[in-house]
């Protein structure tokens, strides 16, 4: 396992992290909590130190699960979690809809207290605003300045070690400004959606990270499954599976799957000495300012593939450039992943 500095903080993290939402909720097909806890423990045993959680995942249950699985090795891991959604006054919504945000300093302290208790720790290593909009980030906004001032106070008190943002929920162009503001105005890391098929955020935010000397983290490195190697035109998911957000209509599903699978086919020449899942992680980690990549881990096979990334043939600069050339030419297609005409 490779370890990298999370620039902008004093933390060092595993280059491959574990997003606890895959096992702390049922959104990725994992319905057996004991299996989820086994995967968390196995990930630690295989070198993973970054565990990325959120208080909204199963209304706090995911954080409690992490404590049950990893509480005895707490000082050997980087505990990352998120706050901002008011989980105390708003029940979980159907269809994985967003709950209302509360960015007040008072709610921040309440949310932190809850997470500390559930995680069984006296401090959070990396505390992230969960899917904030620009008004909760940029300087000059009273809402944002009060919030970030309180974060700094909590850091001074030793209750958190570092803070940043996790942008979302779905990939959206507005997150370019949110990521840039996090890095430039707050000098803090940001977590984005980024992969070799979806570079909307990375192509803007990574150059800023490099210029400012602040790290980025990425999730969804496998484009919601396309770059894991198991999808075909007949692939379906159970109701409630997070991957269904791409498949809202038959027309969109057909366009996304057909175009994506064509692009995956053009990546086959790059798979000597590595799986497509490993290629996706290598691509995401190509920039030294990408501190960690957080794949969706929901079974032992995937965990082993990702935690043995260093055993795969390294991605050369020439190969990286060739993949980028394919991306810039939209892999020779006239539509993008959701079937819209490329202008």
């Amino acid at each position: 396992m490779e370890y990298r500095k999370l620039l902008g903080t004093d933390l060092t993290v595993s280059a491959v992290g574990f997003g606890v939402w895959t096992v702390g909720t049922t959104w990725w097909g994992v319905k057996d909590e004991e299996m989820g806890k086994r995967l968390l423990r196995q990930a630690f045993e295989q070198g993973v130190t970054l565990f990325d959680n959120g208080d909204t995942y199963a209304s706090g249950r995911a954080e409690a699960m992490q404590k049950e699985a990893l509480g005895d090795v707490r000082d050997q891991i980087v505990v990352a979690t998120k706050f901002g959604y008011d989980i105390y006054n708003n029940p979980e919504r159907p269809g994985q809809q967003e709950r209302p945000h509360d960015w007040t300093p008072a709610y921040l302290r309440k949310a932190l207290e809850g997470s500390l208790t559930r995680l069984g720790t006296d401090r959070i290593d990396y505390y992230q605003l969960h899917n904030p909009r620009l008004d909760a980030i940029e300087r000059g906004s009273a809402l944002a300045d009060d919030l970030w001032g309180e974060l700094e106070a909590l850091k001074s008190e030793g209750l958190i070690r570092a803070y940043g943002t996790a942008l979302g929920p779905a990939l959206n162009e507005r997150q370019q400004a949110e990521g840039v503001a996090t890095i430039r105005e707050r000098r803090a890391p940001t977590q984005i959606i980024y992969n070799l098929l979806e570079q909307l955020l990375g192509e803007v935010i990574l150059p800023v990270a490099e210029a400012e000397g602040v790290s980025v983290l990425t999730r969804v490195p496998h484009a919601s499954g396309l770059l894991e190697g198991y999808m075909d035109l007949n692939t379906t998911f159970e109701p409630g599976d997070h991957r269904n957000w791409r498949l809202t209509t038959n027309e969109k599903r057909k366009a996304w799957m057909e175009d994506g699978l064509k692009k995956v086919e053009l990546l086959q020449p790059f798979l000597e000495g590595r799986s497509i899942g490993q290629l996706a992680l290598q691509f995401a980690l190509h920039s030294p300012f990408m501190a960690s990549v957080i794949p969706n881990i929901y079974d032992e096979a995937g965990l082993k593939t990702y935690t043995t990334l260093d055993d795969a043939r390294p991605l050369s600069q020439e190969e990286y450039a060739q993949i980028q050339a394919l991306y810039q030419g939209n892999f020779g297609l006239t539509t993008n992943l959701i079937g819209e005409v490329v202008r």
Side-chain angles (χ1 to χ4, degrees):
M1 178 66 69
E2 178 187 0
Y3 299 90
R4 296 186 175 192
K5 289 285 188 181
L6 181 59
L7 300 173
T9 78
D10 63 355
L11 302 172
T12 297
V13 297
S14 53
V16 177
F18 196 123
V20 185
W21 75 324
T22 59
V23 297
T25 72
T26 59
W27 299 350
W28 294 88
V30 179
K31 299 178 181 178
D32 180 349
E33 280 199 2
E34 293 306 312
M35 173 187 172
K37 286 186 278 189
R38 283 197 303 273
L39 285 172
L40 289 169
R41 191 68 186 198
Q42 289 169 2
F44 168 73
E45 292 168 352
Q46 293 173 36
V48 174
T49 60
L50 174 63
F51 291 87
D52 183 47
N53 216 318
D55 64 3
T56 193
Y57 301 151
S59 298
R61 179 57 194 154
E63 291 180 324
M65 276 185 62
Q66 180 173 322
K67 172 189 174 182
E68 292 164 11
L70 300 170
D72 63 324
V73 296
R74 190 271 168 264
D75 291 338
Q76 300 175 56
I77 64 176
V78 175
V79 173
T81 196
K82 310 180 193 75
F83 73 96
Y85 290 119
D86 182 355
I87 66 172
Y88 299 101
N89 297 304
N90 299 278
E92 193 163 356
R93 298 182 173 188
Q96 301 166 27
Q97 298 179 64
E98 289 187 272
R99 308 186 202 196
H101 280 123
D102 187 338
W103 299 119
T104 61
Y107 183 77
L108 165 58
R109 285 193 175 261
K110 178 177 181 176
L112 177 60
E113 180 181 351
S115 287
L116 290 171
T117 299
R118 289 186 293 270
L119 287 161
T121 182
D122 61 356
R123 81 279 182 196
I124 301 298
D125 297 312
Y126 183 52
Y127 205 34
Q128 302 158 89
L129 283 69
H130 200 172
N131 300 338
R133 284 20 175 202
L134 193 59
D135 64 350
I137 303 171
E138 61 183 349
R139 288 191 180 277
S141 159
L143 170 73
D145 289 345
D146 287 350
L147 173 66
W148 290 80
E150 193 73 359
L151 284 167
E152 190 59 32
L154 292 168
K155 183 178 177 182
S156 297
E157 294 170 30
L159 295 174
I160 60 176
R161 292 180 60 190
Y163 47 76
T165 61
L167 305 181
L171 183 65
N172 190 299
E173 189 172 12
R174 70 153 206 280
Q175 293 157 21
Q176 293 175 336
E178 294 163 0
V180 169
T182 299
I183 294 168
R184 281 188 176 155
E185 299 186 33
R186 301 300 178 178
R187 302 291 303 166
T190 189
Q191 181 187 140
I192 64 174
I193 295 172
Y194 174 71
N195 58 70
L196 64 82
L197 298 180
E198 298 168 314
Q199 300 186 40
L200 175 69
L201 302 183
E203 61 192 5
V204 171
I205 294 172
L206 278 170
V208 175
E210 181 173 357
E212 301 293 336
V214 175
S215 286
V216 174
L217 304 100
T218 187
R219 67 182 187 280
V220 198
H222 295 109
S224 300
L226 272 174
L227 295 172
E228 290 185 73
Y230 66 81
M231 279 194 176
D232 60 35
L233 291 176
N234 297 314
T235 300
T236 59
F237 304 104
E238 293 182 2
D241 193 296
H242 186 74
R243 286 162 287 193
N244 279 322
W245 74 268
R246 299 249 191 184
L247 313 178
T248 53
T249 69
N250 288 336
E251 183 179 347
K252 285 187 177 181
R253 177 185 187 278
K254 182 178 180 182
W256 183 71
M257 295 287 279
E258 287 186 352
D259 288 2
L261 290 170
K262 288 174 184 176
K263 293 177 181 182
V264 168
E265 186 63 30
L266 292 175
L267 295 170
Q268 297 306 304
F270 298 95
L271 300 188
E272 181 181 350
R274 61 172 78 94
S275 70
I276 191 164
Q278 290 172 328
L279 172 66
L281 298 192
Q282 290 176 333
F283 180 91
L285 288 166
H286 181 264
S287 169
F289 293 90
M290 185 66 75
S292 186
V293 59
I294 305 170
N296 292 323
I297 298 171
Y298 38 78
D299 58 32
E300 291 184 1
L303 176 62
K304 182 177 181 180
T305 295
Y306 307 146
T307 56
T308 57
L309 184 61
D310 283 359
D311 295 337
R313 182 169 63 87
L315 181 68
S316 69
Q317 183 60 42
E318 180 181 6
E319 289 176 309
Y320 178 82
Q322 290 171 345
I323 292 172
Q324 284 294 56
L326 285 171
Y327 174 81
Q328 293 300 325
N330 198 40
F331 292 75
L333 303 178
T334 57
T335 56
N336 65 19
L337 281 179
I338 57 173
E340 296 172 342
V341 176
V342 175
R343 301 288 189 241

